Every structure is written in C-alpha cells, then in structure tokens.
Amino acid sequence: MLELKKVSMQFDALKSLTELDLTVNKGEIVSVIGPNGAGKTTLFNVVTGIYTPTSGEVLLNGKSIAGQDPADVNRLGIARTFQNVRLFLNMSVIENVMSATYARTKSNIFSSALGLPSSRREERAVREKAEELLNFFGSRLTGYRWDQPAYSLSYANRRRLEIARALATNPKVLLLDEPAAGMNPKETQEITDVIGRLRAEKELTILVIEHDMHVVEGISDRVIALDHGVKIAEGDFDSVATHPDVVDAYLGKGSADRK
Amino acid sequence: MSEDTSKLGIGTDEWVAQHEKRLQRRAGLPGVIDLLNQRVSNRVRYSVLALVAIFFGLFVHNLYLLRIASNLGVFLMMTLGINIVMGFAGLLDLGFVAFYGFGAYAYALTSSSQLNQHWPTYLSVPAIVIVTAFLGYLVSLPSRRLFGDYLAIVTLFFGQIFIQLVLSSDSITFPGHTDSTDITGGSNGIPGLDPFRLFGRAFKSTTDYYWLLVVVLTLLLIAIVRIDRTRVGRAWRTIREDTLASQSMGIKVNNLKTLAFVVGAAIAGLAGAIFAGIQDAVFINGFDIPLLTLIYAAVILGGSGSIPGSIIGAFVMSVLPEILRVQNYSEFLFLAVLLVTIAVIGKNLKKFAINIGALVVIGYPVKALFYLSHLTTTPTKVWAIAPVSKVLQYWLVLPANRIVWGNMAFIALIALVAYYSIAHEAIKPWLLPFIAYIAIFLWEDRLVADASTTRQLIIGAMLVVMMIVRPQGFLGKARVEVL
C-alpha cells in the first residue's frame, strides 16, 4: 500500500532521515517508535507532501507521490493528524469535519449562492457524514458538542476531533501522530480501541507514531524503531521492545549490556 | 438556558462544555440586549434591514438623504467585498480600492465622450465585472505564495500603480502617431458620463440608483451569506485558521486564495461602475488610500469576518461623516457622547451629578479669567446660530485667537487623557471635569468649524477605543489563536 524506498531528508547539514526503507501493507497497523528527534514526524511530513525528500521514493499503490502538494497527496488517499493538534480552532466542531470533505464535494460559489438543489443536497449529505463520523467516538463528540467552537474542547477531544476530520477526507491510509499524547490511562485505552475499530470498520491502513508503549503493544501488527533518522529495528512488538539497539537508543549506550 | 447543569460532576466533559449556561445573565438593559441578541435570528435581522431600505426609498424624497443612502449602498458593497477577502479568507489586500477605481474608470471609458464609446449598460456592466474579476486573478498570481504583511505590501503597491497609471494616461503617444491621446483625463478625471440604462429607462435621478442598489445589495447579501456557510466559505475559513492543516485536508489553498481575490475584485468592480453612474463623473483622488482606510476601518469596527458587522461598520463609517458635516447635529452628537461617557465612568447618579456640577462650575472662572485678560471676543453670528452653541456662548470661553488656543487645548487634552489612563484612582475623579471642559472647548472652538479634520480624528478615536475595549470589533467573535 504505502512504500518508502531509500528515503533521505536533509536540512542543510542535518540529516533527518537516512535511506529509510518502509512498507505498510493494506489493512496493517504499523507503529513508529523512537526517541525525540529520531525523525518520526519528519517521516510523516515526507509522506504527506509537506517536505519533498532529498532522495528516494515514496510510493502509494506503486505510484510515486514524493514532491506532490499536500492537498494532492490527501486527495490520493493519505490523511493525517498532527503531533501538536492543528484544528481550525475558531470553527465549530462539526464545521471542522465538514470542511475536510472539500476535496470530495463539488458545490462552487455559484451553485451555493443560488442555493441550487444539488448544492443543498450535497450540504445535507456532508452534514450527515460529519455527524456519523463524530458519532464514531461514542458520546464524546455528539449532539450538543457539534456547534461549539473547537477551542472549547478538552485536549483529548481535540485529538479525537482531529481523527474525525482526517476521516472526512475518505482516506485509505491514515497517519496518526501521537494520538494518545496528553491522555489519561482511561482515555488511552479508549483511543487504543478506536484505532482498532478504525481498521475493522473503515478498512484503513494505519501508520502510528506513539510514545505510549501500552498503546503500541495494543494495536501494532508491526513496530519500526527509528533513531537519528535510521531504522534500527523492525518486527513484532516484543522483538523490537527488547532489541538491544532500541534499548540503547532510549536509555543510552551500553544500557542493554548492563541488564 | 433553563436546563439545570448543577447535577453534572464538576470537571467532567459535560460540565466543561456547559460552562456558558452557568454564567450569570447581565442585569438591566445589557441583559435584555443580550437576550434579544440570542433570540432574534439573522434571517429576521436581514428582513428588517430590507424593509427599512424599501420604506426609506418609498417615503423619503429628500435628494440629499437619498444621495447619502446611495453612497452608503456603494460603500456597503465595498465592505462586503473586503470582508470576503480579509474577513473570510484572512488575506490583507491593500490594493482593494484599485478594483473599485478600475470599475469606475472602465464604466467612464465605455459610457462617455472621452473615447466616444457609449455601450449599453447591459453590455458594459457585466463586461466590467468580468474584466475586474480577471484583474483580481492577475493580482492574486504573485500573491499566491504570500501572506500577511508581505501580501499587504505587494497589493498596496498594486493600488499605487493603478493611481499612477490613471494619472499619467492623459497624454499617451501611440507608435506611428505624433500627437498624444488623452485616455483617462489624468487629474481632471472624466466628466459627463451616460446614466445607466436598465429596464427600458435611463437612470436620471438618484432614486433610480437607490433602487438599483437595494436590488443589487439584496442579491449580494443572500449570495454571500449562502457562500459563507457552505463548502467554499468553510474552506476560506480553514485557510484563515491554519493553512497547513487546511492543505493536509485536501483543500487547494492557492486556488481558494485566488478565488477570494477574484470574488472581491468582481464586487468592487460592480460597486465602482455603479458609483461612476451615480457621480456622473470619475476622479482619481476618490480611489486612493483615504477610501481604503475608511473601508478597512468599517470592517474592523464592525468585526472582521462578520457580515452583520460589515453592515454596521459601513453604516457608521459612511453616515457618521455626513452627520458631522452639519454643525447642529455634530454638536448634539458630541455632547451626547460626552455625557454618556461621563455617566459610564461615574457609574452612579450621584457621581454623575457631581461631575456635571464641577464641569459647569469650572466654566465661569475660566471665562472670567479670559475676559479680564482681554483675550475674549464676541461669538461670530455663524458660530452662535446652532441651538447648542447659542446656550454655550454664555459659559464657554471664546478666545480671539481660536486656532492657537484650540491647538493648545488639543495638546492639553491628549496629555490629560494619557495621564488619566495611568493616574491613581484617587486623582481620577478630580481630573474628569477638566478633561470634559477642555474637550468641549476644543470641539466648539476649533473642531466644529473644521469638519474634514474632525471626521478623521473621530474615526481614529473610535478605532483606538474599539481596539482597546473590543479588539474583535462590534459584532466579531473573539478569536482564539493558541490554547
């Protein structure tokens, strides 16, 4: 589904990613772990078109997408959330989701201004779709919440809303950047379930960056560990979590031997 | 509002979400206004507005008032246009009046003896709208990569280019010709334009244009309200909120920026053509920075991004100067504002009475002092003709050299107001009557006679006060940037 071949990303003298190979198969949930500054978010930015890789290839279903505009990458079926939550804060909760259907809808200013039936129908459909997506999160984002501004939401709800917004673009691949950051244990458990349901119900392929090892353990088919832009380990959770290089990367050189 | 929210656990999602319901309603008149604000839908407000406009057209036959109303109509089109570009899409376009000027000049060139073109209105006005929209597209091209300050500078430059082009296009020598051709009339403008000809009649009077504007504005408002709440309007707002997130959700940011420019330009072009028709002539100095500042002031005052706000802002910015033009009205308005300000600062009736009493008492010793120093003069007949000044002449100092004393009072007023804002609470009540006295003196002796300066001062003061008290504008929503 999604494939990276020898992708490097260099900012002046700083090598953020070095010849990274990565494959995510259809319907798979792959987690990316690694210490801060390992290049995880850079990886997401390269995949979603925010950065053009210095070298290497990014393929979606075998077609190269590297260097394309973020909007085009999204239209090809890759949606993402952001590590530092980038909602449209001054728009209502439901508008946040509705706005993300932009690429899949057609009304232009003339049909909207004239209030043509086609435009009204589409508007109703968009609203229904947004309500349905928000209902995906149970009682967290329903009913009275819809017309409140996004800035009134709690931190955890903002992360949920961002996922709902990404879903509204009808993606095939979903990139989640630290979905459980800032959540309490109960909410963390919930988001773990949600990620599982996303694959089951929405048939999504999911790439997750996550620091919370309980989440990583709970959801991942495969785990990839990055350090200094280099892949240091890959495999199932247990093998990566106990991999000596990974332990070194997190706890400092030599930590693995001391144990 | 009546739902009981006290049973919810404090700190839970629902409790946080319903915090607004726990806020106490404001007491007295402000509370009633709040309530009305919540209950009355925008649909009702717009309908009332349309009805007022229709009744005004039916029953008011005073040409001066109709002229003011028509100017308001054109100005309103401009604020609605800039509200799309700046309010919805968040693009600071300082070349906006150039599109307006272009529309006006395009109408003048296609409907006058200047180039001997007399196009039918059905042809010229749509053509102007399309060409201005295309011009908006051209301007947006270099602006696609720019935001904020950078965009502002580029578009400001474009506006100035337009003015210089029009000014210098009065003597153009085409290749192969020896004599020069006058296209735009330079600083003399183009007089004697054809009136609009629509629906089988020539628009001879301001009333015709008034009704045209009522129709155009109604359609425009319906269109803009609809666009605002559907697909394109939402996408514009996402750009204003977070461009990167917007792109990552599949929204073509550059195309939408261009679209905002194009729509804004088309509206401005149409406004310009109608304005040229009303004016019966075009002059370049009407399309320069002063107009731009007025339009921006209107949108910012009303609340950027709010359509009702743009309407109120346009009303204030275009009708207020007309009121200030008449000495009688401007004096009443000034005293009313002054008294309300003192009342608001005083907070209760007793303090208000003391302040007014002190203000009156201050007047007589000052007048006596000036009289004994032989600095006073008798009021001129022109000055003492309005009711307010007729009363005030027995109390207020009328120095012989008004300009000098007025200027000194102006400096003193600014210094005192500045000091007031940082003064100790115990000193403030003592300062207030003096500030009020100097303000009245300044207004009556210096500013009333100099209407154009006064207008700008008032507008500036209003903006300053507004930005301090309510930075989001009168009807704008306070925007949250980062939480």
Side-chain angles (χ1 to χ4, degrees), chain B residues 439-462:
Chain B
I440 295 178
F441 173 78
L442 178 64
W443 185 267
E444 293 292 333
D445 279 85
R446 183 80 176 89
L447 292 182
V448 161
D450 204 345
S452 62
T453 316
T454 311
R455 265 184 314 194
Q456 289 180 2
L457 281 175
I458 292 281
I459 289 166
M462 271 189 338

Side-chain angles (χ1 to χ4, degrees), chain A residues 1-5 21-25 28 30 207 222 224 231 234:
Chain A
M1 192 95 199
L2 181 68
E3 198 177 354
L4 274 71
K5 284 185 183 165
D21 288 309
L22 186 143
T23 310
V24 186
N25 299 313
E28 211 178 9
V30 176
L207 187 62
R222 212 146 38 89
I224 289 165
K231 183 159 75 182
E234 181 171 0

